Amino acid sequence: MATPPSTPPLPSAPIVLAGATGDLGFRIARELLKRGATVRALVRPGNSKPEVTELQDLGAEIATVDFNSVTALTKACAGAACVVSALSGLREVIVDTQKRLLDAAVAAGVPRFIPSDYCIDYTKLPAGSNRNLDLRREFNQRLDQAPIQATSILNGMFTDLLTGQAPVVLFGMKRVLYYGDADQPLDFTTTANTAEFTAAAALDPTTPRYLRVAGEVASIRGLQAAATAVTGTPFKLLRVGGLWVLGTMISVTKTIMPAPDEVFPPWQGMQYLHNMFTGLPKLTPLDNARYPEISWTSVREVLAARN
């Protein structure tokens, strides 16, 4: 585990944040402001989300900017200490829009860039195993060639998904569903903890190329124990089959419901679980101790909040 760095002085230059009205981006903005940072939130023209007003009320500077214009983005990035991307989307966002944002950051002389990764370690995965992570890999190959210091935040799966979108802990059936090995270590981090860590990293000029965190490393058996503990009802394991079964299900689902324009169609979530169950993208070493002020939320706490 990495040794915590000495606390760097708070930069007077603003942190430019793209995607600030999304769930993760808004949380990052709040964490930056809590730390006394100056936040310049980039907002598309016509964005009427309530988060825009909330950000203003919290003290963020709102910069309305055309994300299709490198010139406009360059002006918006002027004088920044770091550009943080929390954008979400497919190729036109993760590759194309981020590329314009990167070009703008370089043109404006911004020293640091944090891309919208926030995921498992895609650098260890074979190309083609996960569409959304392939896009991140493609953008980061461009980022590595740019004259700017880059830092990717890798946090495994958002723990919050275990109480809803990720079909693993099945509360109604009192089962924990899985494929492959029930003892495979898996990385989980809450959205809130990811935002805290990202904010701390944005204000730290000494960050390396990759930072890896996990609020908790838990196997399927660990999830079973956590669910049993918080509900007071024994949960059982439900092994559907080997990883090849999940792979087949992904292919079938993608054929029946391709949904190519959706960011998170059902087969995309299945790809993510398949990746995790292989063990290939396991995060190591973990950098949790880098910012010791962060209190990491456990799987049990997340499941208990749902219950």
Side-chain angles (χ1 to χ4, degrees):
M1 187 170 289
T3 301
S6 57
T7 302
L10 193 67
S12 57
I15 304 298
V16 167
L17 178 59
T21 60
D23 181 30
L24 177 60
F26 186 78
R27 292 172 185 263
I28 293 171
R30 284 192 308 189
E31 292 298 331
L32 285 166
L33 291 165
K34 283 182 186 178
R35 288 163 169 75
T38 300
V39 176
R40 184 182 300 156
L42 306 187
V43 176
R44 290 180 173 84
N47 188 329
S48 58
K49 288 184 177 181
E51 286 82 2
V52 176
T53 301
E54 291 181 52
L55 286 168
Q56 285 180 312
D57 292 343
L58 289 170
E61 172 193 348
I62 303 299
T64 301
V65 62
D66 179 2
F67 277 76
N68 291 315
S69 169
V70 174
T71 300
L73 287 168
T74 300
K75 183 178 179 180
C77 290
C82 180
V83 170
V84 179
S85 174
L87 296 170
S88 177
L90 298 178
R91 170 169 296 278
E92 64 274 13
V93 176
I94 297 301
V95 177
D96 299 338
T97 301
Q98 281 202 120
K99 177 59 166 58
R100 288 190 292 271
L101 185 62
L102 172 62
D103 289 344
V106 171
V110 180
R112 302 176 60 236
F113 191 101
I114 296 178
S116 186
D117 284 348
Y118 317 114
C119 56
I120 53 181
D121 194 345
Y122 58 84
T123 67
K124 298 178 180 179
L125 294 172
S129 67
N130 189 306
R131 178 199 60 180
N132 289 9
L133 299 187
D134 283 346
L135 296 174
R136 282 160 171 76
R137 180 189 291 108
E138 181 179 340
F139 172 73
N140 275 275
Q141 288 170 346
R142 298 188 184 188
L143 179 56
D144 284 335
Q145 297 171 1
I148 195 169
Q149 180 184 340
T151 296
S152 288
I153 310 295
L154 303 177
N155 56 269
M157 174 187 280
F158 288 124
T159 321
D160 321 61
L161 298 179
L162 289 174
T163 61
Q165 295 181 42
V168 178
V169 181
L170 308 178
F171 287 92
M173 297 175 59
K174 307 299 180 186
R175 297 288 188 275
V176 178
L177 181 148
Y178 74 103
Y179 301 81
D181 183 1
D183 295 308
Q184 171 60 49
L186 310 169
D187 298 309
F188 299 97
T189 311
T190 63
T191 308
N193 278 159
T194 302
E196 287 182 84
F197 193 88
T198 302
L203 296 171
D204 176 6
T206 69
T207 52
R209 179 63 183 87
Y210 291 97
L211 285 171
R212 302 170 177 87
V213 294
E216 182 174 347
V217 179
S219 66
I220 288 295
R221 294 190 198 280
L223 297 183
Q224 176 192 20
T228 297
V230 301
T231 62
T233 304
F235 273 62
K236 295 182 179 179
L237 298 182
L238 177 57
R239 186 179 188 272
V240 181
L243 288 174
W244 69 269
V245 175
L246 181 54
T248 300
M249 291 174 62
I250 292 170
S251 298
V252 171
T253 304
K254 194 172 182 180
T255 299
I256 297 173
M257 298 181 292
D261 297 327
E262 291 185 21
V263 180
F264 298 110
W267 55 265
Q268 172 61 46
M270 295 163 70
Q271 283 187 336
Y272 207 91
L273 286 174
H274 187 281
N275 293 153
M276 292 183 69
F277 287 143
T278 67
L280 292 175
K282 178 72 186 71
L283 301 174
T284 183
L286 293 178
D287 298 294
N288 288 38
R290 185 176 182 90
Y291 307 115
E293 72 276 11
I294 296 176
S295 178
W296 299 94
T297 303
S298 68
V299 167
R300 182 175 296 195
E301 289 174 277
V302 172
L303 297 183
R306 183 266 180 202
N307 189 51

